[in-house]
Amino acid sequence: MSAATVAHNAKRLPRAGVAKRLVARIGDGPAVIGGIGNANFDLWAAGHRARNFYMLGSMGLAIPIGLGVALAQPDRRVFVLEGDGSLLMQMGCLATVAARAPRNLAILILDNGTFQITGGQPTPAEQSGTDLVAVARACGLHRATWAADEAELDRLIDLCLIEDGPHAIGLKLDDSPPERQTERDPPQLRDRFMRGMGAKRDRTLG
Ligand SMILES: Cc1ncc(C[n+]2csc(CCOP(=O)(O)OP(=O)(O)O)c2C)c(N)n1
């Protein structure tokens, strides 16, 4: 992965396209964890996969959950979609990820500069010019980089599939509305994910 692609070179991409590009490139095997907010809705709208987990309710948990999944199943690639506001809620998790250094984990930071689903309030990072990829690098995630455009995003996703991480990809995104919202049935979402991950037996199989 390239050393440092700086934030201000990054084009603001159409947000909903990111989850679609991700799931189109990675196939069925990898797990994908969607954080609260549009990360979740966009992942759902991209089409349900057996190994998708949708974090409903609390901000800042997608990366910690992704870390746990990556450590539990080190032979499986794990991608996390987390909003910038949610990352700010739990920024210390970046140091934890760097300390545990799971080779199979890739974090996509969806930076639209706002808490979009609660009304579009600008985040403190947006107001202060905090560079979230620089924060990740300072925490020890040396393979953190901004994706300048869709072509670079595709290239970086491909690298995450074949090269050791942990990886982090920052994306500057627009504020387009979500196409649909995740069905709110947390026990079912949990059970389907656990079955998809082979962590729970499918009842129909006995
Ligand atoms: C701990 C916690 N605080 C506040 C909220 C209310 N809340 C839900 S989503 C959200 C904004 C999320 O922002 P971001 O992660 O950037 O995603 P976006 O909405 O921009 O897609 C807020 C403030 C919450 N669910 N959990």
Side-chain angles (χ1 to χ4, degrees), residues 36-39 57-59 83-86 89 112 114-118:
I36 190 173
N38 287 303
S58 285
M59 297 168 74
D84 52 341
S86 295
M89 184 70 77
N112 57 8
T114 63
F115 302 100
Q116 188 179 341
I117 71 161
T118 49

Side-chain angles (χ1 to χ4, degrees), residues 15 35-42 56-61 82-89 110-121 123 173-176 178 184:
R15 203 207 54 251
I36 190 173
N38 287 303
N40 210 299
F41 301 155
D42 292 347
L56 299 169
S58 285
M59 297 168 74
L61 289 185
E82 184 69 300
D84 52 341
S86 295
L87 176 57
L88 285 168
M89 184 70 77
L110 308 186
D111 184 355
N112 57 8
T114 63
F115 302 100
Q116 188 179 341
I117 71 161
T118 49
Q121 304 86 352
T123 66
L173 301 175
D174 72 6
D175 61 354
S176 47
R184 289 192 171 266

Side-chain angles (χ1 to χ4, degrees), residues 14-110:
R15 203 207 54 251
V18 170
K20 287 190 180 132
R21 291 186 100 82
L22 176 70
V23 300
R25 292 192 89 75
I26 62 177
D28 290 338
V32 184
I33 315 298
I36 190 173
N38 287 303
N40 210 299
F41 301 155
D42 292 347
L43 181 60
W44 183 266
H48 178 65
R49 301 165 64 257
R51 281 171 275 281
N52 282 358
F53 183 73
Y54 309 89
M55 180 58 226
L56 299 169
S58 285
M59 297 168 74
L61 289 185
I63 296 172
I65 291 169
L67 173 61
V69 172
L71 293 172
Q73 297 199 0
D75 294 330
R76 189 190 298 282
R77 298 278 160 178
V78 179
F79 289 82
V80 173
L81 298 168
E82 184 69 300
D84 52 341
S86 295
L87 176 57
L88 285 168
M89 184 70 77
Q90 186 76 295
M91 208 140 73
C93 71
L94 295 173
T96 309
V97 168
R100 299 302 302 267
R103 291 179 302 175
N104 52 330
L105 181 64
I107 299 164
L108 275 65
I109 302 169
L110 308 186

